[in-house]
Amino acid sequence: MTAGTGSAFLKTAMVLAAGVGSRMRPLTNDRPKALVTVNGKALIDHVLDRLHEAGIETAVVNVHHFAEQMEAHLEGRTNPQVLIVDERAGLLDSGGGIKNARHLLGDDPILVANIDSLWVGGEVPPIEAMKRAWDPAKMDILMLLVPRDRGIGLEGPRGFRLDAEGRATHMADDANPAPLANVGFQIMKPQLLDDQPEGAFSILPIWWRLQDEGRIYGVAMDAFWLHVGDPAARDEAEARLT
């Protein structure tokens, strides 16, 4: 199946919403980061609305910090349908959180989304750009990236570069900032995690293996990225969305 073809393509998303949000304090002293508001709407609702617009039918959301608030907030949401994965017993990190939800994600490619990435403008909706670029014959992960001059809240010089074919390579040279930042959205084959152990683990080692194998790609969006990672970035994002 290639990008944008077939009715079953990219209908399920994993929304990573279980983090404690320590950098967002004091706004997360009484609520999860996902319920911090930007322009009158909770971050989780900004993301779920984008997913709905992109044709996502089911969003699997993990919860931990103030989990009861998240469950109450998401109860009854139908566009997309929300399924909760409970991490109250302990955070499972980026890889373990997805692995823990594996029974709900199915076997088709999924969209993985962070809750602190918003965007404005652009000619092509970013998730649509990802759909168009996705080629499962050569890709196991496709990352959404953004040029460094098209975003706020960028954290440090690290990021990625793309070769002529779109293969992504991580750059960690502080003296040579990467041209592209990671937005926090990716299309991935959920089977990538099937051989991983239960419990907490990072997805990063899988990225590095796929990079060595030439199986991790990226697509640069033309929208303007709003990375809502701390209160100052939240205020700037709100100003741009008002």
Side-chain angles (χ1 to χ4, degrees):
M1 184 183 299
T2 55
T5 63
S7 60
F9 178 64
L10 208 61
K11 296 300 183 182
T12 301
M14 177 76 204
V15 182
L16 301 175
V20 174
S22 57
R23 294 181 60 249
M24 190 61 84
R25 289 174 180 151
L27 300 180
T28 50
N29 285 346
D30 61 355
R31 72 193 67 191
K33 182 178 179 179
L35 294 186
V36 170
T37 60
V38 178
N39 199 27
K41 183 190 292 188
L43 285 170
I44 186 69
D45 290 323
H46 279 285
V47 172
L48 291 173
D49 288 347
R50 294 288 193 186
L51 298 183
H52 176 56
E53 292 167 4
I56 296 294
E57 297 175 353
T58 302
V60 181
V61 181
N62 61 353
V63 299
H64 171 79
H65 189 53
F66 292 107
E68 295 83 0
Q69 290 186 31
M70 285 289 289
E71 290 174 331
H73 183 84
L74 295 171
E75 185 177 7
R77 173 132 194 173
T78 58
N79 293 312
Q81 177 190 17
V82 173
L83 304 177
I84 298 291
V85 178
D86 194 337
E87 292 186 22
R88 284 178 176 87
L91 289 169
L92 295 173
D93 207 340
S94 53
I98 303 172
K99 167 92 173 180
N100 188 49
R102 183 71 179 85
H103 61 293
L104 299 174
L105 297 173
D107 291 324
D108 290 328
I110 63 170
L111 182 70
V112 179
N114 286 346
I115 52 90
D116 57 5
S117 282
L118 313 179
W119 50 73
V120 292
E123 292 294 322
V124 179
I127 300 175
E128 180 61 28
M130 297 176 78
K131 287 183 177 182
R132 295 178 187 179
W134 174 251
D135 182 352
K138 63 183 182 181
M139 303 174 186
D140 290 326
I141 287 180
L142 175 69
M143 307 176 68
L144 183 61
L145 306 172
V146 65
R148 295 191 66 83
D149 61 352
R150 294 191 60 79
I152 63 169
L154 280 76
E155 298 175 350
R158 299 188 176 194
F160 292 83
R161 59 178 171 81
L162 300 179
D163 69 10
E165 301 300 318
R167 285 181 289 263
T169 300
H170 185 244
M171 296 179 63
D173 180 0
D174 291 348
N176 182 28
L180 298 165
N182 179 16
V183 171
F185 278 59
Q186 59 186 302
I187 297 175
M188 69 173 287
K189 296 175 180 176
Q191 295 86 351
L192 288 170
L193 303 180
D194 286 353
D195 63 350
Q196 299 298 307
E198 301 296 327
F201 65 91
S202 171
I203 201 171
L204 293 180
I206 296 171
W207 284 9
W208 310 147
R209 173 176 61 79
L210 295 178
Q211 178 177 290
D212 292 342
E213 296 172 357
R215 301 281 305 174
I216 185 167
Y217 282 68
V219 60
M221 69 180 190
D222 63 1
F224 191 88
W225 183 39
L226 310 173
H227 181 212
V228 189
D230 56 39
R234 178 255 178 210
D235 291 346
E236 188 170 355
E238 182 157 279
R240 287 180 176 268
L241 290 172
T242 301

